Amino acid sequence: MDRYTVISADCHAGADLLDYRPYLEKRHHDDFDAWAATYVNPYEDLLADTADRNWNSGRRVAELEEDGIVAEVVFPNTIPPFFPTASLMAPAPSQQEYEQRWAGLRAHNRWLADFCEEAPGRRAGVAQILLNNVEEAVREVRRVHAAGLTGGILLPGAPPGSGIPELYSQTYDPLWAVCAELGVPVNHHGGSASPPLGDEPAARAVFMVETTWFSHRALWHLIFGGAFRRNPELKLVLTEQGSGWIPRVLDMLDYYHGRLVAAATRANTAESKFGAGLADSMGKGPSEVWRDNCYVGASFMRPHEVPLREKIGLDKIMWGSDYPHDEGTHPYTREGLRIAYAGLPRAEVAAMVGGNTARVYGFDLGLLDPIAAKIGPTVEEIAEPLTKIPADATSPAFARGGSVRVW
């Protein structure tokens, strides 16, 4: 083809609040009615005229196709039943809240399965779980897999003070095992692992500085915790956390791995206790684990990240538009692709904008390529350097600064 098959590895959707009710078990209906009657949505974008992009299937398909996108990985966005905020941002539930929160997430997962069926083969829905009870999480993984959600699961964060075990804990081994067994990707999304910081101006600024770092923690927790040694088929996807950090963090993790494993052989040193048992528990080194098991949902990949693509791994990078968020590339996805990928070899662009995502999430290119042949961006178009940033573009893909090159 002379067009790219573009699959967004990072989009968001969810039901309008009251539309979740039919997806709840009937025993929760009265509690849901009472909760919904007094609930005040804290997010302006979910109250605006454009909020229906989250659940209006026809509008969504049309706007994505206008942007040249044929398929999407669908993360959550709206407020599930019984949650104070979006599930990505909500604190870990207390025991009293736990049952209702689980009911709300199951309702979202049921709704999402139906939503994906409205565009067969073009949506890979990411199911939601809680970590308070691993056996219950395992049951939900099996249920959503059988229901046809091909996007895998959204791994909640375990920030300090959450009251649940850290992600390196072997408590979660049954969860990693079922995901590896079923080929279910484990997705960890930016913004999902920060501890509550309050709402002062400084707190909001600190959140912006630290939120991606807290999301990155899942990588070294699972590596050092040995999740990939015990489950060699496990796939971890880190989404909307940037991608330029990966090479230097892998270098750092390799350094500590080598240093601690070596120290463990010298029993009389102060460091020996830090590396004791590490080599046996985690197996391969961090860079090898990244090579064999990990991927990055490189949402609206920025120009300064692109030169690092070989160090990150050309087979690891999955571009995403972040539709329908303000920081997403819509309606300037073609320009966002041009500013990042103009001048690169066609095969490399094809892999990053769709091929890798199809492989990781199981999209059928035989179904999607004919659609892309009609609406996808042309190879010639993406090869043309972007000389002017759209005046009303809001995505960080177009951010000005010394590390961002504009032709």
Side-chain angles (χ1 to χ4, degrees):
M1 294 195 307
D2 63 350
R3 296 177 184 267
Y4 289 114
T5 299
V6 181
I7 305 171
S8 173
D10 180 27
C11 288
H12 296 264
D16 199 1
L17 188 65
L18 297 180
D19 290 342
Y20 277 126
R21 190 180 191 273
Y23 292 94
L24 283 165
E25 296 171 348
K26 288 184 178 180
R27 62 192 175 95
H28 295 291
H29 282 184
D30 289 345
D31 288 340
F32 174 78
D33 292 341
W35 172 79
T38 60
Y39 185 77
V40 178
N41 196 313
Y43 298 115
E44 291 183 7
D45 64 316
L46 296 180
L47 300 172
D49 292 341
T50 55
D52 73 325
R53 290 172 174 170
N54 286 283
W55 56 80
N56 185 329
S57 184
R59 177 178 184 173
R60 189 179 186 97
V61 169
E63 291 190 352
L64 289 174
E65 287 191 353
E66 288 169 4
D67 251 9
I69 297 171
V70 298
E72 55 177 330
V73 179
V74 186
F75 287 87
N77 196 44
T78 61
I79 312 298
F82 306 116
F83 276 73
T85 59
S87 58
L88 276 177
M89 306 299 294
S94 66
Q95 192 58 45
Q96 292 76 18
E97 298 167 320
Y98 176 70
E99 183 181 356
Q100 286 189 333
R101 295 275 188 93
W102 247 124
L105 292 192
R106 289 194 187 97
H108 171 82
N109 294 342
R110 295 183 187 109
W111 174 88
L112 184 60
D114 282 353
F115 186 69
C116 290
E117 278 300 308
E118 293 185 44
R122 300 181 69 175
R123 292 175 181 151
V126 179
Q128 299 189 77
I129 61 169
L130 290 172
L131 295 178
N132 302 60
N133 184 316
V134 175
E135 290 182 0
E136 198 160 6
V138 168
R139 285 194 292 271
E140 186 66 3
V141 170
R142 291 194 180 279
R143 192 194 69 77
V144 298
H145 179 264
L149 290 180
T150 58
I153 61 164
L154 178 63
L155 177 65
S162 66
I164 60 176
E166 295 279 6
L167 292 178
Y168 55 70
S169 172
Q170 293 190 28
T171 299
Y172 302 118
D173 273 3
L175 179 61
W176 313 142
V178 72
C179 290
E181 172 198 338
L182 299 177
V184 169
V186 175
N187 305 276
H188 195 55
H189 194 283
S192 63
S194 300
L197 297 172
D199 198 40
E200 294 183 34
R204 294 193 294 270
V206 168
F207 173 82
M208 288 300 296
V209 171
E210 294 182 346
T211 184
T212 52
W213 182 86
F214 274 105
S215 298
H216 299 344
R217 291 174 80 226
L219 176 63
W220 52 83
H221 276 232
L222 268 67
I223 289 177
F224 286 127
F228 301 103
R229 181 189 67 79
R230 294 186 292 276
N231 304 280
E233 302 304 315
L234 184 65
K235 293 185 288 190
L236 175 67
V237 182
L238 304 172
T239 297
E240 203 176 335
Q241 308 174 27
S243 59
W245 59 275
I246 292 167
R248 67 177 183 273
V249 166
L250 290 177
D251 286 344
M252 180 265 290
L253 297 179
D254 284 339
Y255 164 75
Y256 277 110
H257 172 254
R259 173 178 165 181
L260 294 174
V261 168
T265 66
R266 298 188 290 272
N268 295 324
T269 66
E271 278 196 345
S272 61
K273 62 182 179 181
F274 291 99
L278 185 64
D280 291 337
S281 68
M282 65 178 284
K284 296 177 293 189
S287 286
E288 294 176 278
V289 172
W290 177 265
R291 180 196 66 201
D292 294 340
N293 301 91
C294 303
Y295 305 86
V296 58
S299 308
F300 41 79
M301 196 173 187
R302 301 157 181 82
H304 67 279
E305 296 172 304
V306 175
L308 298 171
R309 62 193 183 280
E310 291 185 357
K311 291 183 178 180
I312 298 167
L314 277 165
D315 60 335
K316 303 293 179 183
I317 297 168
M318 301 182 292
W319 175 89
S321 72
D322 200 28
Y323 177 93
H325 289 167
D326 288 342
E327 63 267 30
T329 55
H330 177 81
Y332 299 112
T333 286
R334 288 175 168 82
E335 289 83 356
L337 293 173
R338 287 171 60 193
I339 199 172
Y341 298 135
L344 298 189
R346 176 175 175 171
E348 293 186 7
V349 177
M352 291 186 286
V353 304
N356 294 336
T357 307
R359 174 168 45 84
V360 172
Y361 291 100
F363 285 101
D364 181 1
L365 291 177
L367 169 70
L368 299 179
D369 284 346
I371 303 172
K374 299 176 182 177
I375 60 97
T378 67
V379 173
E380 182 180 13
E381 177 185 8
I382 302 305
E384 181 68 24
L386 187 68
T387 58
K388 184 179 180 180
I389 294 175
D392 57 343
T394 56
S395 174
F398 304 106
R400 300 178 185 275
S403 62
V404 179
R405 53 193 171 103
V406 179
W407 290 269

